[in-house]
Amino acid sequence: MKKNESLRELLYQLADDNFIHAFRGSEWLGLVPHIEEDVAYSSISQDTMGHAYMFYQLLEDLGEGNLDQIAHGRKPEQFRNAIILEEKNGPGSYLEKPDYDWAFTVVRNLLYSHFKTIQLESLKQSSYEPLSIVSRKIQSEQYYHLMHWETWFTQLMLSTEVARTKMEDAIKRIWKDLGGLISLGNYGDEISANQYIDSEQKLETRFLESIEKVFKKVEFTIDENPGMLRGNGRNGEHTEDLKQAIETLSEVYLSDLEAASW
Amino acid sequence: MPSKTIALKKEIMDILQNVKDPEMKPISIVELGMVEDIEITENTIHVKLLPTFTGCPALDLIKENIKNEVKDALSSLDNKFNVDVKYCYHPPWTTKRISEEGRKKLKKFGIATPSPDHNPGDPWEIECPYCNSTNITMENIFGPAACRSILYCRQCRNPFEAMKPIA
Ligand SMILES: [Zn+2]
């Protein structure tokens, strides 16, 4: 095993989660329910892209290569993001008849923000100091993302019957793959043994406890534990949707190296 | 530290007063509390900066502006210095770092800042920058930039912006 291999694996998970999540968010630009939301959501996606770059920076510092190359120059099977984050926002594409699913997006963003908050809380105690410093910085911004998605989630869950049904369907669907977000993959034992982050069991317990409180406020319960229906992205397993995301992202990178070089 | 270095450091701090936040023109990066340290080695001036928000698109621009300002201002000196600007995350930037002068300028510009005594988890108390009323409503927590929210004052009926507390 390479030195720091488990640390690198964890950093790729964190960086790729944020990167792909920010990309899916940016695809909503101009398509969200109203103009204020457009401002808010693009701000959130911009922050999240900033978080991805901070994690990629840590990988660059560990000698993994140039930051932009790490972000844009890898093949799908080298990505470590959770499968649920790569899923398209809905049928169609940004340029051709997007028929995106807002309920799915709100639920995914809520669950991701919630888990990220738990994750950062643990990472702040990381034995790898650069990671704990970066996590503290990210946490101060993440707080506002969580607040935003909780507001949307609660409002939609308590609005019309149609909205409620769509939201509940989205929760149940996302839940089937949500385990892939909590997972630390094949290197999980080493990652937690080195105290880079708490074990996935601990993270899962904390996550379920805290999300239960949010669900309770809108009188929703779910019995089963989060699953990994389509595989584990932490181990390089992915869907076609990731390919589309990477192609779009690196198209921009290759055609406009100048603009992407921040 | 030789007094010459101290004098140069002070001079650079003064020069950095001219580098403004591209999105909030009246306020300088010094007043915002972004400048953490200035270090002078033989032929390089190292400026250590704390980013306000990580995804802020202005960060690169600020970096360039610093280099240009410092180089221009020091061009009369015999000694030729390189200028190196680095962003660091430690200590993290917080809204507490905004100076009194900076707060006043932002207020004049119609942007409220969180109280310097604000601690994490505290309720966010916001005063209208125009009439000081606290009878306000939050319109959008995410304003035109990641660091600001949009509010509305019910007293004087002005929309205004507020910097989010970051602790
Ligand atoms: Zn007022």
Side-chain angles (χ1 to χ4, degrees), chain A residues 35-37 39-41 43-44 46-47 49-51 54 57 129 133-134 136-138 140-141 143-145 147-148 261-262, chain B residues 51-57 60 89-90 92-94 121-122 124 139-147 150 164-167:
Chain A
I35 182 85
E36 283 84 11
E37 181 56 24
V39 176
Y41 199 0
S43 229
I44 292 176
Q46 202 176 71
D47 281 356
M49 199 50 99
H51 301 170
M54 285 167 87
Q57 181 69 54
E129 207 194 352
I133 289 171
V134 157
R136 179 163 174 353
K137 176 71 192 159
I138 294 176
S140 63
E141 302 176 7
Y143 171 75
Y144 294 101
H145 301 185
M147 210 157 101
H148 183 78
S261 70
W262 59 281
Chain B
T52 50
F53 272 67
T54 46
C56 179
D60 261 2
Y89 304 108
H90 189 70
W93 179 85
T94 65
D122 284 358
W124 182 10
E139 294 287 305
N140 195 338
I141 189 134
F142 293 93
C147 56
I150 301 170
K164 290 181 201 146
I166 289 287

Coordinates of all heavy atoms in Angstrom, one line a residue, chain A residues 35-37 39-41 43-44 46-47 49-51 54 57 129 133-134 136-138 140-141 143-145 147-148 261-262, chain B residues 51-57 60 89-90 92-94 121-122 124 139-147 150 164-167:
Chain A
I35 N -36.6 33.7 -9.3 CA -35.4 34.4 -9.5 C -34.5 34.4 -8.2 O -33.3 34.3 -8.2 CB -35.6 35.8 -10.0 CG1 -34.3 36.6 -10.3 CG2 -36.5 36.6 -9.2 CD1 -33.7 36.3 -11.6
E36 N -35.2 34.6 -7.0 CA -34.4 34.6 -5.8 C -33.7 33.3 -5.6 O -32.6 33.2 -5.1 CB -35.3 34.9 -4.6 CG -35.7 36.3 -4.4 CD -36.9 36.7 -5.2 OE1 -37.6 35.7 -5.8 OE2 -37.3 37.8 -5.3
E37 N -34.4 32.2 -5.9 CA -33.8 30.9 -5.8 C -32.6 30.7 -6.7 O -31.7 30.1 -6.4 CB -34.9 29.8 -6.0 CG -34.3 28.4 -5.8 CD -33.7 28.1 -4.5 OE1 -34.0 28.8 -3.5 OE2 -32.9 27.2 -4.4
V39 N -30.5 33.0 -7.6 CA -29.4 33.7 -6.9 C -28.9 32.8 -5.8 O -27.7 32.6 -5.7 CB -29.8 35.1 -6.3 CG1 -28.7 35.7 -5.6 CG2 -30.3 36.0 -7.5
A40 N -29.8 32.3 -5.0 CA -29.4 31.5 -3.8 C -28.7 30.2 -4.2 O -27.6 29.9 -3.8 CB -30.6 31.2 -3.0
Y41 N -29.3 29.5 -5.1 CA -28.8 28.2 -5.5 C -27.4 28.3 -6.3 O -26.5 27.5 -6.0 CB -29.8 27.4 -6.4 CG -29.6 25.9 -6.5 CD1 -28.5 25.3 -5.8 CD2 -30.4 25.1 -7.2 CE1 -28.3 23.9 -5.9 CE2 -30.3 23.8 -7.3 CZ -29.2 23.2 -6.6 OH -29.0 21.8 -6.7
S43 N -25.3 30.6 -5.8 CA -24.3 31.0 -4.7 C -23.9 29.7 -3.9 O -22.7 29.5 -3.7 CB -25.0 31.9 -3.7 OG -24.3 33.0 -3.4
I44 N -24.8 28.8 -3.6 CA -24.5 27.6 -2.9 C -23.6 26.7 -3.8 O -22.6 26.2 -3.3 CB -25.8 26.9 -2.6 CG1 -26.6 27.6 -1.5 CG2 -25.5 25.4 -2.1 CD1 -27.9 27.1 -1.1
Q46 N -21.6 27.6 -6.1 CA -20.3 28.3 -6.2 C -19.5 28.0 -4.9 O -18.3 27.6 -5.0 CB -20.5 29.8 -6.3 CG -19.4 30.5 -6.9 CD -19.8 32.0 -7.0 OE1 -19.9 32.7 -6.0 NE2 -20.0 32.4 -8.2
D47 N -20.1 28.1 -3.7 CA -19.5 27.7 -2.5 C -19.0 26.3 -2.5 O -17.8 26.0 -2.2 CB -20.4 27.8 -1.3 CG -20.7 29.2 -0.8 OD1 -20.1 30.1 -1.3 OD2 -21.6 29.3 0.1
M49 N -18.4 24.3 -5.1 CA -17.2 24.2 -6.0 C -16.0 24.6 -5.3 O -14.9 24.0 -5.4 CB -17.5 25.0 -7.2 CG -16.7 24.6 -8.4 SD -16.7 22.8 -8.8 CE -17.9 22.6 -10.1
G50 N -16.1 25.7 -4.5 CA -14.9 26.2 -3.7 C -14.5 25.1 -2.7 O -13.3 24.9 -2.5
H51 N -15.4 24.4 -2.1 CA -15.1 23.4 -1.1 C -14.4 22.2 -1.8 O -13.4 21.7 -1.3 CB -16.3 22.8 -0.4 CG -17.1 23.9 0.3 ND1 -18.3 23.7 0.8 CD2 -16.8 25.2 0.6 CE1 -18.8 24.8 1.4 NE2 -17.8 25.7 1.3
M54 N -10.8 23.1 -2.4 CA -10.0 23.0 -1.2 C -9.5 21.6 -0.9 O -8.4 21.4 -0.5 CB -10.8 23.6 0.0 CG -10.9 25.1 0.0 SD -12.1 25.6 1.2 CE -11.1 25.8 2.7
Q57 N -7.0 20.7 -3.5 CA -5.8 21.3 -3.1 C -5.0 20.5 -2.1 O -3.7 20.3 -2.3 CB -6.1 22.7 -2.5 CG -4.8 23.5 -2.0 CD -4.0 24.0 -3.2 OE1 -4.6 24.7 -4.1 NE2 -2.8 23.7 -3.3
E129 N -4.0 17.4 10.2 CA -4.3 18.8 10.6 C -4.8 19.6 9.4 O -5.8 20.4 9.5 CB -3.1 19.4 11.3 CG -3.6 20.6 12.2 CD -2.5 21.5 12.6 OE1 -1.3 21.2 12.4 OE2 -2.8 22.5 13.2
I133 N -8.3 21.9 9.4 CA -8.3 23.3 9.2 C -9.3 23.7 8.1 O -10.2 24.6 8.2 CB -6.9 23.9 8.8 CG1 -6.0 23.8 10.1 CG2 -7.0 25.3 8.3 CD1 -4.5 24.1 9.8
V134 N -9.2 23.0 7.0 CA -10.1 23.2 5.8 C -11.5 22.9 6.2 O -12.4 23.7 5.8 CB -9.6 22.3 4.7 CG1 -10.7 22.0 3.7 CG2 -8.4 22.9 4.0
R136 N -13.0 23.2 9.1 CA -13.5 24.3 9.9 C -14.0 25.4 9.1 O -15.0 26.0 9.3 CB -12.5 24.7 10.9 CG -13.0 25.9 11.8 CD -12.1 26.1 13.0 NE -12.4 27.2 13.8 CZ -13.3 28.2 13.7 NH1 -14.0 28.2 12.6 NH2 -13.4 29.2 14.5
K137 N -13.2 25.7 8.0 CA -13.5 26.8 7.1 C -14.8 26.5 6.4 O -15.7 27.3 6.2 CB -12.3 27.0 6.2 CG -12.6 28.1 5.1 CD -12.6 29.5 5.6 CE -13.1 30.5 4.6 NZ -13.6 31.7 5.3
I138 N -14.9 25.3 5.9 CA -16.1 24.9 5.1 C -17.3 24.9 5.9 O -18.4 25.3 5.5 CB -15.9 23.5 4.5 CG1 -14.7 23.6 3.4 CG2 -17.1 23.0 3.8 CD1 -14.3 22.3 2.8
S140 N -18.2 26.8 8.3 CA -18.9 28.1 8.5 C -19.8 28.5 7.4 O -20.7 29.2 7.6 CB -17.8 29.2 8.8 OG -17.0 29.3 7.6
E141 N -19.5 28.0 6.2 CA -20.3 28.3 5.0 C -21.5 27.3 4.9 O -22.6 27.7 4.5 CB -19.5 28.3 3.8 CG -18.4 29.3 3.8 CD -17.4 29.3 2.6 OE1 -17.7 28.6 1.6 OE2 -16.4 29.9 2.7
Y143 N -23.2 25.8 7.0 CA -24.3 26.1 7.9 C -25.5 26.8 7.1 O -26.6 26.4 7.4 CB -23.7 27.1 9.0 CG -24.8 27.7 9.9 CD1 -25.4 26.9 10.9 CD2 -25.1 29.0 9.8 CE1 -26.3 27.5 11.7 CE2 -26.1 29.6 10.6 CZ -26.7 28.8 11.6 OH -27.6 29.4 12.4
Y144 N -25.2 27.7 6.2 CA -26.2 28.4 5.5 C -26.8 27.6 4.4 O -28.0 27.7 4.1 CB -25.6 29.7 4.9 CG -25.2 30.7 6.0 CD1 -23.9 30.8 6.3 CD2 -26.2 31.4 6.7 CE1 -23.5 31.7 7.4 CE2 -25.8 32.3 7.7 CZ -24.5 32.4 8.0 OH -24.1 33.3 9.0
H145 N -26.1 26.6 3.9 CA -26.7 25.7 2.9 C -27.7 24.8 3.5 O -28.8 24.7 3.0 CB -25.6 24.8 2.3 CG -24.5 25.6 1.6 ND1 -23.5 24.9 0.9 CD2 -24.2 26.9 1.5 CE1 -22.6 25.8 0.5 NE2 -23.0 27.0 0.8
M147 N -29.4 25.4 6.2 CA -30.6 26.2 6.6 C -31.5 26.4 5.4 O -32.7 26.3 5.5 CB -30.0 27.5 7.0 CG -30.9 28.2 8.1 SD -29.8 29.4 8.9 CE -30.2 30.9 8.1
H148 N -30.9 26.7 4.2 CA -31.6 26.9 3.0 C -32.4 25.7 2.6 O -33.6 25.8 2.3 CB -30.6 27.3 1.9 CG -31.3 27.6 0.6 ND1 -31.9 28.9 0.4 CD2 -31.5 26.9 -0.5 CE1 -32.4 28.9 -0.8 NE2 -32.2 27.7 -1.4
S261 N -8.6 27.9 -14.8 CA -7.3 27.7 -14.1 C -7.3 28.3 -12.7 O -6.2 28.5 -12.1 CB -6.2 28.3 -14.9 OG -6.3 29.7 -15.0
W262 N -8.4 28.7 -12.2 CA -8.4 29.2 -10.8 C -8.3 28.1 -9.8 O -8.0 28.2 -8.7 CB -9.7 30.1 -10.5 CG -10.9 29.3 -10.7 CD1 -11.6 29.0 -11.9 CD2 -11.8 28.7 -9.7 NE1 -12.7 28.3 -11.7 CE2 -12.8 28.1 -10.3 CE3 -11.6 28.7 -8.3 CZ2 -13.8 27.4 -9.6 CZ3 -12.6 28.0 -7.6 CH2 -13.7 27.4 -8.3
Chain B
P51 N -9.1 34.0 2.9 CA -10.3 34.2 2.0 C -11.5 34.4 2.9 O -11.7 33.7 3.9 CB -10.3 33.0 1.2 CG -9.6 31.9 1.9 CD -8.6 32.6 2.7
T52 N -12.4 35.2 2.4 CA -13.7 35.4 3.2 C -14.6 34.2 2.9 O -14.8 33.4 3.8 CB -14.4 36.7 2.7 OG1 -14.5 36.7 1.3 CG2 -13.7 37.9 3.2
F53 N -15.0 34.0 1.7 CA -15.8 32.8 1.3 C -14.9 32.1 0.3 O -14.4 32.7 -0.7 CB -17.1 33.2 0.7 CG -18.2 33.3 1.8 CD1 -18.1 34.3 2.7 CD2 -19.2 32.4 1.9 CE1 -19.1 34.4 3.7 CE2 -20.2 32.5 2.8 CZ -20.1 33.5 3.8
T54 N -14.9 30.7 0.4 CA -14.0 29.9 -0.4 C -14.3 30.0 -1.9 O -13.4 29.9 -2.7 CB -13.9 28.5 0.0 OG1 -15.3 28.1 0.2 CG2 -13.2 28.3 1.3
G55 N -15.6 30.0 -2.2 CA -16.0 30.0 -3.6 C -16.0 31.4 -4.3 O -16.5 31.5 -5.4
C56 N -15.6 32.4 -3.5 CA -15.7 33.7 -4.0 C -14.9 34.0 -5.3 O -13.7 33.8 -5.3 CB -15.2 34.7 -2.9 SG -15.3 36.4 -3.3
P57 N -15.6 34.4 -6.3 CA -14.9 34.5 -7.6 C -13.9 35.7 -7.6 O -13.1 35.8 -8.5 CB -16.0 34.8 -8.6 CG -17.2 35.2 -7.8 CD -17.0 34.7 -6.4
D60 N -9.2 35.6 -7.0 CA -8.1 35.7 -8.0 C -7.8 37.1 -8.3 O -6.6 37.5 -8.5 CB -8.4 34.9 -9.2 CG -7.7 33.5 -9.2 OD1 -7.1 33.2 -8.1 OD2 -7.8 32.8 -10.1
Y89 N -6.0 29.2 5.2 CA -7.3 29.0 5.9 C -7.1 29.0 7.4 O -8.1 28.7 8.2 CB -7.9 27.6 5.5 CG -8.1 27.6 4.0 CD1 -7.3 26.8 3.2 CD2 -9.0 28.4 3.4 CE1 -7.5 26.7 1.8 CE2 -9.2 28.4 2.0 CZ -8.4 27.5 1.2 OH -8.6 27.5 -0.1
H90 N -5.9 29.2 7.9 CA -5.7 29.2 9.3 C -5.0 30.4 9.8 O -3.9 30.7 9.3 CB -4.8 28.0 9.6 CG -4.7 27.7 11.1 ND1 -5.8 27.3 11.9 CD2 -3.7 27.9 11.9 CE1 -5.4 27.2 13.1 NE2 -4.1 27.5 13.2
P92 N -9.1 30.8 10.5 CA -10.2 31.0 9.5 C -10.6 32.5 9.6 O -10.6 33.1 10.7 CB -11.3 30.1 10.0 CG -11.0 29.8 11.4 CD -9.5 29.9 11.6
W93 N -11.0 33.1 8.5 CA -11.5 34.4 8.5 C -12.9 34.4 9.1 O -13.7 33.5 8.9 CB -11.7 34.9 7.0 CG -12.2 36.3 6.9 CD1 -11.5 37.5 7.0 CD2 -13.6 36.7 6.8 NE1 -12.4 38.5 6.9 CE2 -13.7 38.1 6.8 CE3 -14.8 35.9 6.6 CZ2 -14.9 38.8 6.6 CZ3 -16.0 36.6 6.5 CH2 -16.0 38.0 6.5
T94 N -13.1 35.4 9.9 CA -14.5 35.5 10.6 C -14.9 37.0 10.4 O -14.1 37.8 10.1 CB -14.5 35.2 12.1 OG1 -13.7 36.2 12.7 CG2 -13.9 33.8 12.3
G121 N -23.8 30.2 16.8 CA -25.0 29.8 17.4 C -25.9 30.9 18.0 O -27.1 30.7 18.2
D122 N -25.3 32.1 18.1 CA -26.1 33.2 18.6 C -27.2 33.5 17.6 O -27.0 33.3 16.4 CB -25.2 34.5 18.7 CG -24.3 34.4 20.0 OD1 -24.5 33.5 20.7 OD2 -23.5 35.4 20.1
W124 N -29.0 35.9 15.0 CA -28.4 36.9 14.2 C -29.2 38.2 14.3 O -30.3 38.2 13.8 CB -28.3 36.3 12.8 CG -27.7 37.2 11.8 CD1 -27.0 38.4 12.0 CD2 -27.7 37.1 10.3 NE1 -26.5 38.9 10.8 CE2 -27.0 38.1 9.8 CE3 -28.3 36.1 9.5 CZ2 -26.8 38.3 8.4 CZ3 -28.1 36.2 8.1 CH2 -27.3 37.3 7.6
E139 N -35.2 38.6 3.2 CA -35.8 38.3 1.9 C -35.1 37.1 1.3 O -35.7 36.3 0.7 CB -35.6 39.5 1.0 CG -36.4 40.8 1.5 CD -37.9 40.6 1.2 OE1 -38.2 40.3 0.1 OE2 -38.6 40.7 2.2
N140 N -33.8 37.1 1.3 CA -33.0 36.0 0.7 C -31.7 35.9 1.4 O -30.9 36.8 1.4 CB -32.8 36.3 -0.8 CG -32.4 35.0 -1.5 OD1 -31.9 34.0 -0.9 ND2 -32.6 35.0 -2.8
I141 N -31.5 34.7 2.1 CA -30.2 34.5 2.8 C -29.0 34.6 1.9 O -27.9 35.0 2.3 CB -30.3 33.3 3.7 CG1 -29.2 33.2 4.6 CG2 -30.4 32.0 2.9 CD1 -29.5 32.8 6.0
F142 N -29.2 34.2 0.6 CA -28.1 34.3 -0.3 C -28.3 35.5 -1.2 O -29.2 35.5 -2.1 CB -28.0 33.0 -1.2 CG -27.6 31.8 -0.3 CD1 -28.6 31.0 0.2 CD2 -26.3 31.5 -0.1 CE1 -28.2 29.9 1.0 CE2 -25.9 30.5 0.7 CZ -26.9 29.7 1.3
G143 N -27.5 36.5 -1.0 CA -27.7 37.7 -1.8 C -26.9 37.7 -3.1 O -26.6 36.6 -3.6
P144 N -26.5 38.8 -3.6 CA -25.7 38.9 -4.9 C -24.4 38.3 -4.8 O -23.8 37.9 -5.8 CB -25.6 40.4 -5.1 CG -25.9 41.0 -3.8 CD -26.8 40.1 -3.0
A145 N -23.8 38.1 -3.6 CA -22.6 37.4 -3.4 C -22.7 36.5 -2.3 O -23.6 36.6 -1.4 CB -21.4 38.4 -3.1
A146 N -21.9 35.4 -2.2 CA -22.0 34.4 -1.2 C -22.0 34.9 0.2 O -22.6 34.4 1.1 CB -20.9 33.3 -1.4
C147 N -21.3 36.0 0.4 CA -21.1 36.5 1.7 C -22.2 37.4 2.2 O -22.2 37.8 3.4 CB -19.8 37.3 1.8 SG -19.7 38.6 0.6
I150 N -30.0 39.4 1.5 CA -30.8 40.5 1.2 C -31.9 40.6 2.2 O -32.6 39.7 2.5 CB -31.4 40.4 -0.2 CG1 -30.3 40.2 -1.3 CG2 -32.3 41.6 -0.5 CD1 -30.9 39.9 -2.6
K164 N -23.2 37.9 6.2 CA -23.6 36.8 7.0 C -22.6 36.6 8.1 O -21.4 36.7 7.9 CB -23.6 35.5 6.2 CG -24.7 35.4 5.2 CD -24.5 34.1 4.5 CE -25.3 34.1 3.2 NZ -24.6 33.3 2.2
P165 N -23.0 36.4 9.4 CA -22.0 36.1 10.4 C -21.2 34.8 10.1 O -21.8 33.8 9.7 CB -22.9 35.9 11.7 CG -24.3 36.2 11.3 CD -24.4 36.2 9.8
I166 N -19.9 34.9 10.1 CA -19.1 33.8 9.9 C -18.2 33.7 11.1 O -17.5 34.6 11.4 CB -18.2 33.9 8.6 CG1 -19.1 33.8 7.4 CG2 -17.1 32.9 8.6 CD1 -19.6 32.4 7.1
A167 N -18.3 32.6 11.9 CA -17.6 32.6 13.1 C -16.7 31.3 13.1 O -16.9 30.4 12.3 CB -18.5 32.6 14.3

